[in-house]
Amino acid sequence: HEVMEPYPCLCESPDAREIEWSLRMKVMNHETVDDDKVISPTFTVPWRIEFRPFNMDFSVNTAKDANGRSLGYAQAHHPVSDLDRDLPALPRSTFRVDRDATQVKANLAEDLIGDILPVTLQNQSLRWVLGPSRYAIMLMGDEAFMMAMADHPDGIRNLYDRIRDELLAYMDWQEAEGLLTLNNDNDFIGSGSYGFTRDLPRPGSGSPVRMHDLWGNVNSQETICVSPAMFEELVYSAYAAVAARFGLTYYGCCEPVHALWESCISKLPNLRKVSISAWCNEQTMGDYLRGGSIIYSRKPSPNFIGIGGFDESAFRVHILKTLSAARGCPLEFIFRDIYSLKGDLGRAGRAVRIVRECIDAAR
């Protein structure tokens, strides 16, 4: 909202404003940020798809920041307090697609701008929902989950097996309903990354699209304080089962991955990109990935741009450190979790220019 202040929406109806906002966001990004984001000559309408985990509503209480934005939350209730008693009683997840509402949105966009931009339907429902650990925390809460890993490991295995089965059922349902759309072009694949690749869809694939034609995104931010041995023993198999369904896998978000790399993450099926967050050991991951095909997907610290004054010299050192650590690796930069530019709306564009200068200097 801060960077969009110079690009106010003029439409009055909510549906028209939604379309206008999407278009103005692209204009803003080109004029203000000028990064490598590609603007496609189409307008995308997402399928209206609902995934209701365990057929429950997981209500939350939110916390507001100084500007009134909801940036923090606490879940009001966790339905599993006793794994042996409560896990078998959990209902199956439910899935629903509203084809009529989707078509209404597409028809409106077609009527308003279809003579300028072709309107396409896209499935965006799988971008963030396929990481098993998020559901473990939704069901149990952090403290009970962590204690159970030590006190009742068999129960945790059963928990992850059940979550795995729910996620695979959701993926199977989408395939059977013909809802999947390719994401191998200028398509957001989760964790800030885009899906450009010639390796998808799989050779010989046709219509309808299958899961093995797609990028998938999984992470396990919730288990950052779990040891590599415990992660391998209790958590990893569920992730491997989900990742095996994709054509290509992007792993990670903000969690550090270096401690889990050799024992688990490097073995994930179809792995092509791995998140190197601000909490990750850059040099270690560069040593692991150098000379291979897995992309070093770097997320620099957001603090340089989003907190206080913009120390351009320190930011330049930060970027040069990444370029040194990732030398010999396929590399992309993704800037995430910048919640404010502190009133300096040109800051993001300057950061992009500095990154480009550093890349040129490091060649």
Side-chain angles (χ1 to χ4, degrees), residues 185-249:
D185 199 80
N186 187 30
D187 303 295
F188 187 78
I189 60 170
S191 203
S193 192
Y194 285 78
F196 294 103
T197 181
R198 296 184 181 91
D199 293 338
L200 295 174
R202 289 278 182 88
S205 293
S207 182
V209 177
R210 302 297 184 187
M211 285 301 306
H212 65 225
D213 297 318
L214 303 181
W215 279 98
N217 168 46
V218 291
N219 67 71
S220 190
Q221 299 178 102
E222 299 82 2
T223 57
I224 58 171
C225 52
V226 173
S227 72
M230 187 173 281
F231 186 93
E232 181 178 12
E233 179 184 353
L234 302 180
V235 178
Y236 172 73
S237 64
Y239 278 82
V242 173
R245 298 292 307 278
F246 306 140
L248 294 172
T249 300

Side-chain angles (χ1 to χ4, degrees), residues 39-99:
I39 299 176
S40 296
T42 59
F43 184 82
T44 299
V45 173
W47 275 102
R48 297 283 294 272
I49 297 171
E50 179 187 1
F51 173 39
R52 199 162 186 258
F54 306 99
N55 200 27
M56 293 183 179
D57 292 320
F58 291 88
S59 59
V60 298
N61 300 316
T62 61
K64 307 291 186 181
D65 72 356
N67 297 314
R69 299 174 300 179
S70 296
L71 294 182
Y73 71 90
Q75 194 169 309
H77 171 67
H78 300 285
V80 175
S81 58
D82 184 306
L83 281 164
D84 294 331
R85 178 194 66 205
D86 299 331
L87 184 58
L90 288 176
R92 292 293 176 185
S93 302
T94 56
F95 327 122
R96 189 176 73 90
V97 55
D98 193 331
R99 298 180 186 274

